[in-house]
Amino acid sequence: MKHCTPTRLTMVALLLALAGCGKPDAPASTPMPTALAKQAPVAKGDGLPELDCPGKADAALAGPDIAGLKLGMARLAALNLARCLNRETVVTFEANWLNGLQTYGIKLAPQAFSTRAGETSECQYRNFSEMQKCGAGNRVWNHLAEEVTVASPGVPGQEKVAAIWRTQNFKAGAMPAAETMLQALVQKYGAPQVRRGQQDQWIQLYWLHDPAGTPLAEGSRGAQSCLGINAQAHQTQQWRQDCGLTISAQINLARENPLLVKEMDIGMANQQQLYTLGTRLQHDLQELEGQRRLKELDQAKSSGAAVKL
């Protein structure tokens, strides 16, 4: 795989360099192991909390954000903020994002949620083809303008944001210049550690850190091994214990004019924290189950129930 690492280039030159730096492997399209596709749509009146806009992140949280969303946010605060991004939003939930957890029957909040906004129409069920077009919120999505996905697994009352993704699709006549998009990304997140692209098709940028928060050296072996967080939520995600905060962005260029952006995807997670999250969550669930069993034992003893042999 060939990587481009241009330095001291203007944004126009950077765009051209990235777009023409060989033909690396196409981005993965394998679904996430956590199967976000099996989401249950939530309509108005289905128990969503009342909106409190504008949504805000906890001021005490450090680090970068995606559309105002930060890692470590409380789940309900993140859900409120994501819903506030658009006037009309369809919310879907995913029960399981971390696979393989033994819950012992403990009822957990949905481990991930997605908010979608765009142009929709009513679903039709006159034939199978029309049924297949019916999507989230029982709507036909004629144009998905924005989708935000947040993973926030945790024991009840302690759910925190562990990963964030955002997709924006731009219609003809409203597509931003790729140069402008690159400028905005660099201005917000700094210079990326990895840049790569396929001519006239897509550009990928990665901001990579070690577990201590130090940016990884551009082109280093460590940087190349920490590319597991995909910019698109529905693609495979991987994380390593020796990698820290990771931000990945993918700019899909318009076929009719590769100087314009048709789709923008960005994802963010702390890989080391994700690596330990599953183990910690399983331990917490075991603790809760142990407490439940001891409580039932105490109740049985205090009831004085006689044993007849």
Side-chain angles (χ1 to χ4, degrees):
M1 181 178 292
K2 182 179 179 182
H3 300 281
C4 282
T5 55
T7 58
R8 297 184 181 179
L9 297 175
T10 65
M11 280 298 168
V12 173
L14 175 61
L15 169 62
L16 295 175
L18 286 171
C21 64
K23 295 184 177 180
D25 297 336
S29 57
T30 306
M32 287 180 61
T34 47
L36 283 173
K38 297 181 179 179
Q39 295 168 323
V42 176
K44 293 181 180 179
D46 278 354
L48 285 173
E50 184 177 350
L51 272 177
D52 182 16
C53 298
K56 296 180 180 179
D58 186 345
L61 290 175
D65 68 274
I66 294 179
L69 293 160
K70 289 190 172 186
L71 300 177
M73 286 184 69
R75 171 182 173 272
L76 289 180
L79 176 59
N80 181 76
L81 195 156
R83 293 171 64 201
C84 287
L85 292 176
N86 296 281
R87 183 181 298 273
E88 295 291 335
T89 300
V90 173
V91 183
T92 57
F93 293 101
E94 168 61 23
N96 299 310
W97 190 76
L98 288 174
N99 287 328
L101 287 175
Q102 171 59 266
T103 65
Y104 304 101
I106 299 172
K107 184 175 177 57
L108 301 178
Q111 294 185 17
F113 67 83
S114 295
T115 61
R116 296 175 178 85
E119 299 174 4
T120 68
S121 57
E122 293 185 4
C123 292
Q124 302 293 329
Y125 303 98
R126 292 170 296 191
N127 54 57
F128 183 72
S129 178
E130 288 184 345
M131 291 176 58
Q132 286 185 309
K133 296 178 182 179
C134 193
N138 291 322
R139 305 292 295 175
V140 175
W141 288 86
N142 303 311
H143 173 67
L144 178 60
E146 181 175 64
E147 180 176 8
V148 174
T149 299
V150 175
S152 55
V155 296
Q158 300 181 30
E159 301 91 346
K160 301 290 185 180
V161 173
I164 307 163
W165 293 271
R166 185 191 192 193
T167 290
Q168 294 172 279
N169 294 296
F170 304 98
K171 299 176 68 174
M175 297 180 186
E179 175 188 358
T180 302
M181 185 68 75
L182 285 166
Q183 287 176 334
L185 287 168
V186 172
Q187 181 177 4
K188 182 166 186 174
Y189 300 114
Q193 279 70 51
V194 173
R195 310 167 175 90
R196 61 188 186 183
Q198 186 161 326
Q199 185 172 3
D200 295 343
Q201 294 188 35
W202 50 268
I203 300 167
Q204 289 180 333
L205 305 174
Y206 290 87
W207 292 263
L208 307 168
H209 303 77
D210 65 17
T214 303
L216 298 175
E218 183 176 357
S220 67
R221 179 178 298 179
Q224 298 304 317
S225 65
C226 291
L227 304 178
I229 301 301
N230 200 291
Q232 297 174 324
H234 296 277
Q235 293 191 2
T236 298
Q237 312 293 333
Q238 297 178 334
W239 42 86
R240 294 168 55 97
Q241 191 174 18
D242 54 351
C243 302
L245 177 65
T246 304
I247 302 172
S248 62
Q250 180 165 316
I251 301 171
N252 293 326
L253 306 174
R255 181 179 300 178
E256 300 79 7
N257 185 350
L259 296 177
L260 302 180
V261 178
K262 181 179 181 181
E263 178 182 340
M264 166 64 186
D265 304 292
I266 188 165
M268 177 170 65
N270 186 306
Q271 296 194 44
Q272 185 192 50
Q273 292 177 6
L274 281 177
Y275 189 88
T276 59
L277 177 60
T279 301
R280 186 175 70 252
L281 179 53
Q282 187 63 76
H283 176 269
D284 291 343
L285 290 169
Q286 289 173 345
E287 287 285 317
L288 290 174
E289 173 63 9
Q291 293 171 16
R292 182 193 67 81
R293 293 180 182 183
L294 289 176
K295 182 179 179 180
E296 290 183 354
L297 175 62
D298 291 340
Q299 291 174 342
K301 290 180 177 180
S302 62
S303 68
V307 178
K308 296 181 180 180
L309 299 177

